Amino acid sequence: MNPFILQKFKPIGLVVFCLFTLASCNKSGDKKEEGGVKEMLGLNTVAATETDSLYIKDYIGQHKQFKEHEDLIYQFYGDREYRLGWFKGSDLVPESEKLLTTLNNAAQEGLDPKEYKVVAIDEMISQYNELGRKDSARLELQQQIDIALTATYFNYASDFYKGRIDPRNVKQVQWGVRNNKIKLHKALQTILRERESTYPYYEFEALHKGYTDLRDALQKYRELEEKGGWAKVELGNKKMLVKGDTAAAVVSLRQRLNPGKQINANDPAMRKFDDKLEAQVKAFQELHGIVPDGKVGGNTLRTMNVPVEDRIQQIMMNMERWRWIPKRLVPKSLDQKYIWVNIPEYKLYVYEDPSNSPEAERDYKKTMEMNVIVGKTMHSTPIFSDRMEYVVLAPYWNVPNSIVEKEIAPGILREPGYLERQNMEVVTKERNPKQIDPSSIDWSSVTEKNFPYMVRQRPGPKNSLGTMKFLFPNEHAVYLHDTPSGSLFSQTQRGFSHGCVRLERPMDLAKYVLKDMPEWNESRIQETINGGEEEWITLPKKIQVYLVYFTSWVDEDGNVHFRDDIYGHDKRLEQELFS
């Protein structure tokens, strides 16, 4: 017997020993009674009920692809005192077949089934079933099958639930959202019906609707790909197609917008750009973040001619991002609501759980949405998550030193009255700042790192933060705020800020986050703003905030949206996933 197993001798071993003694002391020699004892002991079949750490180590050593999740394998078996997980007696549990079916269907998840076929488990199981129940070779194979199923599950589940790549370890991905801390060994216990969970691990199902919606879209786009994709729109000698045009290019436009539908190119009506086709063009533009003017040319034409293969990869990349999102969107300790800013969409959403119970199954409902302005390419808005703690009314804008070096100092050198014109002042970096005379500073030598003071813009109509800001203190010095430049929200591409997120309707958000503080109604908020004195309000409960980057998603009506990769994050993720 393996010495490791001897160390784990349990009281039940005494029972087995006594039964052996009883059988050996049977003086009657009655074969029927002896057979009954053997039947009771299970000696008519050979079944391993346990393995040990040395056996697991040896097996993993022979299959290096299992080594990445070696710790999880030991943790799983250690928690169960090295009992086998996938067998009851000598029979495989039904969950093993469910796992193998899931692996064969991995392509539906944007994953490669071949990646998870480290060993031929199907063949091992067939061989196991062919061996006689009394064959001692069965015991060895049983342990191998059990460990192989466990290790294969961890290889697959890690990719499926946490992502093919770990964004914390791939710097160029630039994803700072809080970690997805799913415990895969606990998930496996749920699959094997050994523990309860509110999450759908037993069904090998994903944790977020945003992911499953994209998965459904992936199947539709793959079906389109199998049928040849969609037609490329060629304008010939025309620069643009508009309603009322008659041209051969209109036929290819119809084919592009109606893939798989038979279009009679010889029908004169198909060559006419009519009202119905214009409506289709506008719908396409809205789903791709383009001004819905119904005209085909420029950006609309470029977007229409993106191949279906590229859209499939885009969907898969955004499915990967959903795997990085924490399984519990809002920690139990917080108010059960969250703010979601999707940077490429230039949109903010607020979601709330009506039950407000951290123990209930998550059923968040959208309660608010608005347009936002995000950072321009050179000052991109970072991707991260944090917790909103304060609302600041009539705020000062504390100008980052990087902007002081690049914009403020040159402005002062060009124009001595620059600070006053911008309603700015220079103060010390203290709890109670003291004013500094700007003329005492050598602005020509100011850099981001050597500037010892702070430039701030006073509250008022010229303040770059507008009337209020919403703070979730973070290393990026990024927050949500109002803006005096309201006209910019009419633009389709809204990358104008230095990295912070400007809100289209800040008062609506302020009323929402302060609704549990009735003393802060809209009237008092406005009076405080008009007073021109900065006022900090501490929220009674912190609110989870996500600043994320999704260039493809499915809306509530089932329509698939795509957006441009404004910061190049898709391009970098594509290199990691597909190169």
Side-chain angles (χ1 to χ4, degrees), residues 533-551:
E533 292 291 329
E534 186 177 75
E535 177 83 22
W536 285 57
I537 307 169
T538 302
L539 299 179
K541 263 194 171 183
K542 298 176 183 178
I543 299 173
Q544 185 67 51
V545 178
Y546 288 96
L547 273 61
V548 294
Y549 194 93
F550 285 89
T551 58

Side-chain angles (χ1 to χ4, degrees), residues 181-205:
K181 295 181 179 178
I182 181 172
K183 296 178 180 177
L184 294 178
H185 66 294
K186 297 291 186 185
L188 181 51
Q189 291 172 8
T190 303
I191 286 170
L192 295 173
R193 307 283 191 164
E194 295 174 353
R195 69 186 289 272
E196 296 295 323
S197 176
T198 57
Y199 298 99
Y201 301 130
Y202 178 69
E203 300 300 328
F204 293 90
E205 187 51 280

Side-chain angles (χ1 to χ4, degrees), residues 102 178 184 244:
T102 299
R178 65 192 183 93
L184 294 178

